[in-house]
Amino acid sequence: MPRMRLAAALTACWIAWIGTPVAAQSAYPAKPIILVVPQTAGGTNDIVGRLVGQKLGEVLQSGVVVDNRPGAGGNIGTQLVAKAPKDGYTLLMTISSSQAINPALYRNPGFDPARDFRPIALVGAVPNVLLVNPTFPAQNLAEFLATARRKDAQYQYASAGNGTLNHLLGEMLNSMAGLSLQHVPYKGVAPAINDVIGGQLPVVFASLPSALPHIRAGKLRAIAVSGAQRSPVLPDVPTIGEAVTGYNGTLWIGLFAPAGVPQDVATMLQDGVRKALANRDLRDKLDQQGVEIAPPTTPEQFAALLQDDLTKWARIVKSSGAAVD
């Protein structure tokens, strides 16, 4: 009997010993999470990625490291995550212009926006703002449309580049409102804004976080926002849709994982983002940036939003003739 008890005890100890490292290896997250942002540091998505990543790390009790991988309109960083191990340690914080427009804009973006990714969470939305130089002869949206519709009107608008969201917002406005604004592409939104401030061009579309300091300083006049609803940051500025029925061009920001990430990991990440976005401090910081935090959205609803945007922007890209090899 003593020998049997000893054998049983040794067996129990052996099972516990071999089970410990297996449990430790399977616990998620057991190491820092890499959050790839496929845009440059300091931009809207980078700001949101860092704020949300920090709070997500606190919720998951793990480090979250932001890795900026800009290039090719966001394709480089997006490709990296599409090919990353399917373990939940490499994630993508991206914007709709990269995930929903690039597949129509580039002949070979290097990824499939739906097949290669698993939607985790819709984080928020950022409207673009239709802006003019303060000397522009229109004080509001109605006057802007009337001025731009004149037969002799030959106004130009600046964008961050061919095929960017603020380029296509202008093309959509031309098509839906019967305008003929002429597109002038720049290499980034900052030089586009600077030239409109300087009076070289009269009109520009820019994301609210990029434009807000210039609006508040009186260097640019906000005519309208591109989203479906007015922005709480600019409550007196109408939406374009209030005058042009059906117009809606909101930039959304969302978190994706490579397709094939285990369900339990995806669930943990979804719960983590939900808890992070419920934090008052994070919400206040995002509000200050002009980011409209998304209502609770299921991964299935997020996937449907992506699919709707893929269809919409493919149509707009085709009609604009924009293409990048």
Side-chain angles (χ1 to χ4, degrees):
M1 290 295 293
R3 289 184 178 179
M4 292 176 64
R5 288 196 210 95
L6 178 60
L10 289 173
T11 300
C13 290
W14 178 75
I15 292 174
W17 179 75
I18 64 171
T20 299
V22 172
Q25 289 174 5
S26 63
Y28 177 86
K31 62 181 181 179
I33 297 169
I34 304 300
L35 186 61
V36 174
V37 171
Q39 287 80 32
T40 56
T44 299
N45 191 34
D46 176 68
I47 293 170
V48 173
R50 291 180 187 278
L51 290 173
V52 174
Q54 179 182 2
K55 189 59 63 176
L56 178 62
E58 294 174 9
V59 171
L60 297 179
Q61 298 182 338
S62 172
V64 175
V65 181
V66 173
D67 183 7
N68 294 92
R69 294 296 184 100
N75 289 348
I76 291 177
T78 307
Q79 292 170 15
L80 186 152
V81 179
K83 299 173 182 177
K86 307 176 188 304
D87 55 10
Y89 288 103
T90 304
L91 306 175
L92 177 71
M93 183 72 79
T94 192
I95 52 181
S96 54
S97 56
S98 293
Q99 202 75 2
I101 295 178
N102 282 6
L105 185 65
Y106 289 80
R107 291 184 180 179
N108 181 21
F111 63 91
D112 184 293
R115 187 185 63 232
D116 292 340
F117 295 93
R118 179 169 191 161
I120 297 297
L122 180 63
V123 172
V126 180
N128 269 247
V129 189
L130 174 60
L131 304 153
V132 297
N133 182 281
T135 63
F136 191 82
Q139 300 294 316
N140 53 52
L141 178 58
E143 292 180 2
F144 176 88
L145 293 173
T147 301
R149 281 174 177 148
R150 290 200 320 246
K151 291 183 179 180
D152 60 342
Q154 294 183 343
Y155 292 112
Q156 296 175 315
Y157 76 98
S159 83
N162 283 318
T164 58
L165 178 62
N166 39 33
H167 167 207
L168 298 178
L169 288 173
E171 294 296 334
M172 186 161 62
L173 184 60
N174 280 340
S175 174
M176 297 181 70
L179 308 185
S180 56
L181 300 172
Q182 298 172 9
H183 175 232
V184 179
Y186 282 73
K187 293 182 178 180
V189 72
I193 287 176
N194 288 339
D195 268 13
V196 174
I197 291 174
Q200 282 79 13
L201 271 76
V203 182
V204 66
F205 280 91
S207 68
L208 181 53
S210 300
L212 200 54
H214 305 296
I215 297 170
R216 289 172 172 166
K219 296 179 180 180
L220 293 171
R221 180 185 302 137
I223 295 295
V225 295
S226 67
Q229 299 178 342
R230 294 192 181 197
S231 170
V233 179
L234 298 173
D236 296 329
V237 177
T239 68
I240 295 175
E242 290 177 36
V244 182
T245 303
Y247 189 102
N248 181 14
T250 299
L251 177 83
W252 52 253
I253 301 173
L255 183 67
F256 292 83
V261 164
Q263 179 60 52
D264 59 338
V265 172
T267 299
M268 188 173 294
L269 288 168
Q270 291 155 9
D271 290 343
V273 175
R274 177 178 53 80
K275 292 176 181 177
L277 292 177
N279 180 270
R280 174 49 56 188
D281 179 59
L282 175 60
R283 295 178 72 88
D284 289 344
K285 289 177 179 177
L286 292 174
D287 284 343
Q288 291 167 10
Q289 296 294 328
V291 178
E292 301 168 4
I293 299 170
T297 305
T298 67
E300 292 76 19
Q301 290 171 326
F302 188 14
L305 172 63
L306 172 60
Q307 194 58 56
D308 288 345
D309 271 7
L310 285 167
T311 302
K312 177 178 79 173
W313 291 115
R315 183 175 64 251
I316 295 171
V317 167
K318 182 178 181 179
S319 65
S320 73
V324 179
D325 291 331

